[in-house]
Each structure stands twice: as structure tokens, then as C-alpha cells.
Amino acid sequence: MIDENIINQIKEFSKKPSLFNKKCGNIWTEEYIANQMLKAHIDPNFDGASRRAVIINKTIDFLTRNVLKENSSILDLGCGPGLYDEKLCQRGYKVTGIDFSINSINYAKNSAEKQGLNIKYKCNNFFELNYSEEFDTVMQIYGEINTFSDSERSKFFNIVKNSLKPNGLFIFDVSTPTLRKKCGLKKNWYVGNSGFWRDKIHLVLENGFQYDNDIWLDQYIVADNNGVQVYRNWFHDYTVKTISEIIQNSGFKIINILGNLTGEILKEDSEWIAIIAQKK
């Protein structure tokens, strides 16, 4: 017999939620899913969490040759398992990595220790940081800014600005509506014996919602014998016009706009916009 309570929970979760409603499960703190996320991050051939190793290498090459000053201090926000930080440290930069995931930070610390790399890693919510003009460069790579509400984004830009020395650089990228058109809105369901969400039999219902101003939600309802949980991934895509206005109104000036952080030229149909900005 079908459990009516489970059906009612699924029905409730299936309704279109209010904008940036984040009352849901947390993929970074739930142990099983957090371990799955770490595996995805460190897979060199998978770009669902971190970018593939070949792209990371090209990014580091471009930044160190064309953007970063030698021996400068870098704050990496959302550093994950330290894939960029290790390569920057190896090239002589002073690196501090911040991430909300304790799994990622522990992995990064252990990896750096094994290689004898002097990288400062901290498990922290970067919305709570209070650095004051300590870094030459702040970077946040792979579109985490896309997951912020407008108020979170404003707070984040202010934290970055406070963290930077005068004329310091802010390096980041955001996805565009072109990428969402390619991915589409999720609408799928499946039953798995084990997988990303659970290590035992479970049901996953995927659905997507579109909102005004290029805002999207990818939602996953997961049901097993322990109950029902919903997970939400919010995305706010940007155009050159919208992100440029936000940057300039946040106390930065734009130094360069690219198609990605490997140095590719921005095109009309680019899936990403990479920004090199400077603190005014």
C-alpha cells in the first residue's frame, strides 16, 4: 500500500517554491551526499562539481601569465578541495582557501600537507568573513555567484571589496542564459538502488522551475524508507549588461571580460562570462 503521508509530502514539495527558498536538505553537510560531492570534485574527467583537470590547468596558466602579479596574496572563496590553490601555491603565490564543506577542507589540508604546500585553509561561511584589505586578489571560480539571491550577492561583493587591498583584483565567472537553454528545465524521475543521493533504494523526482530575470531552480525530491527530502539548486544567470552594472555599482571597475577564465574571447553565444575587476 502506498504511504499517503509520503505522497502528500511529495505533492507539497512539487509546488513551485518562493524565490530563493532554501528550506531544504544540504548537500554539503549531509554526510553521504557530502562524500559524493567530494568524489565529484576530485574526478579529473568530470566537470559537474569542479571543472575538469585540463580546464583547471589552462585557467591557472592564463591567470599566472596574464593577470596575477608574482608572489601576490590570493583569497579563494569556495575553494573546494583546493584544486586551484595547490597549483597557485606551487607557482609562488600566498594562498588562503575558504569553503563551507568540512569534507572539502579536510581533503585540501591533507593533500597540501602531503605535498609540503603552505596553504591556509579554513572551513567557514564566507558571508561571515571580516577581512580588511589583506589580499591582492580574491577569486571565486565556477559560477557560485549564480547561486546567490540579490541580497546575498550584494553582501558578498561588499565582503570581497573589504578583503582586497587598494586596487586589488576580483576574478570570477558566471553562467549565461545560453547555458540554461542548453541544459533546459529538469523533468524526470527514477528509482535507484544506490547513487548520488542515497546508498540504498530510493526514488528521485527531478523538476525545474523558471522565474523572472533569468532565475532558475533545479529541484530534487528524494524519497526512501526514512522519509522525503527536497534539495534545491538556485541559479541566477547573467548577461554582460546585467553583470557589468552590478560590478560597477559594487565599488569595482572592469578590467577585462572574457568567454571563460582560460582566456577565450567572449562571444554572443558564450555559456560563461569571466570577469577581471579591480577595486576602485
Side-chain angles (χ1 to χ4, degrees):
M1 179 178 291
I2 297 176
D3 189 316
E4 187 174 346
N5 183 51
I6 290 179
I7 295 297
N8 287 333
Q9 289 183 67
I10 291 175
K11 181 180 178 181
E12 190 64 28
F13 282 140
S14 296
K15 296 177 182 177
K16 187 176 185 179
S18 57
L19 196 61
F20 282 98
N21 181 334
K22 296 184 179 181
K23 295 179 180 179
C24 57
N26 192 316
I27 63 175
W28 304 108
T29 58
E30 294 183 26
E31 184 176 0
Y32 176 77
I33 304 176
N35 287 330
Q36 297 295 99
M37 284 299 298
L38 179 58
K39 290 178 183 177
H41 269 296
I42 61 178
D43 184 340
N45 301 310
F46 178 66
D47 56 9
S50 294
R51 286 195 169 101
R52 288 168 291 136
V54 63
I55 302 300
I56 293 174
N57 290 333
K58 288 181 179 179
T59 298
I60 295 297
D61 285 343
F62 173 75
L63 292 179
T64 54
R65 291 174 182 172
N66 301 281
V67 180
L68 301 172
K69 295 179 180 179
E70 288 187 8
N71 303 315
S72 56
S73 55
I74 300 172
L75 175 62
D76 182 9
L77 298 177
C79 67
L83 304 180
Y84 293 87
D85 299 341
E86 290 182 358
K87 297 180 184 302
L88 289 168
C89 183
Q90 288 165 352
R91 300 193 187 202
Y93 295 93
K94 307 176 189 71
V95 186
T96 298
I98 307 289
D99 201 279
F100 183 68
S101 168
I102 187 63
N103 278 25
S104 292
I105 289 298
N106 285 341
Y107 179 94
K109 286 180 176 179
N110 291 334
S111 181
E113 184 178 353
K114 289 177 183 177
Q115 298 176 71
L117 299 175
N118 184 19
I119 304 172
K120 296 179 181 178
Y121 286 116
K122 299 179 182 178
C123 184
N124 229 325
N125 181 342
F126 43 67
F127 286 110
E128 299 173 358
L129 298 178
N130 57 357
Y131 289 115
S132 179
E133 297 190 347
E134 295 185 37
F135 299 95
D136 298 301
T137 300
V138 174
M139 66 182 198
Q140 187 176 77
I141 297 177
Y142 212 8
E144 193 158 358
I145 287 173
N146 291 98
T147 67
F148 299 159
S149 66
D150 287 356
S151 60
E152 289 172 330
R153 186 193 61 226
S154 296
K155 183 177 182 179
F156 177 76
F157 270 78
N158 195 49
I159 288 168
V160 171
K161 185 172 63 175
N162 291 340
S163 301
L164 285 169
K165 299 175 183 178
N167 299 316
L169 297 179
F170 181 25
I171 300 169
F172 67 97
D173 57 3
V174 290
S175 58
T176 71
T178 300
L179 180 60
R180 174 54 62 170
K181 289 176 183 176
K182 176 183 175 181
C183 297
L185 287 174
K186 292 184 178 295
K187 193 171 183 64
N188 186 34
W189 71 273
Y190 63 89
V191 175
N193 290 319
S194 65
F196 177 82
W197 297 106
R198 297 290 186 268
D199 61 352
K200 54 191 175 183
I201 191 167
H202 60 289
L203 169 69
V204 179
L205 303 173
E206 301 177 350
N207 51 1
F209 299 97
Q210 181 178 357
Y211 297 76
D212 293 336
N213 300 317
D214 293 319
I215 297 174
W216 315 83
L217 171 63
D218 289 339
Q219 178 168 278
Y220 306 84
I221 301 170
V222 182
D224 62 13
N225 59 9
N226 290 325
V228 183
Q229 182 59 277
V230 64
Y231 302 88
R232 294 181 176 129
N233 292 333
W234 290 96
F235 299 96
H236 182 179
D237 291 324
Y238 295 93
T239 63
V240 171
K241 182 177 184 295
T242 56
I243 195 61
S244 296
E245 290 175 351
I246 290 164
I247 294 166
Q248 292 163 354
N249 291 333
S250 300
F252 294 90
K253 65 178 180 180
I254 297 172
I255 302 300
N256 203 354
I257 300 180
L258 301 160
N260 58 47
L261 286 171
T262 68
E264 289 187 7
I265 296 172
L266 182 70
K267 300 176 183 177
E268 187 174 339
D269 61 348
S270 290
E271 296 176 359
W272 290 87
I273 301 170
I275 303 289
I276 314 295
Q278 186 177 49
K279 179 179 175 178
K280 290 181 182 178

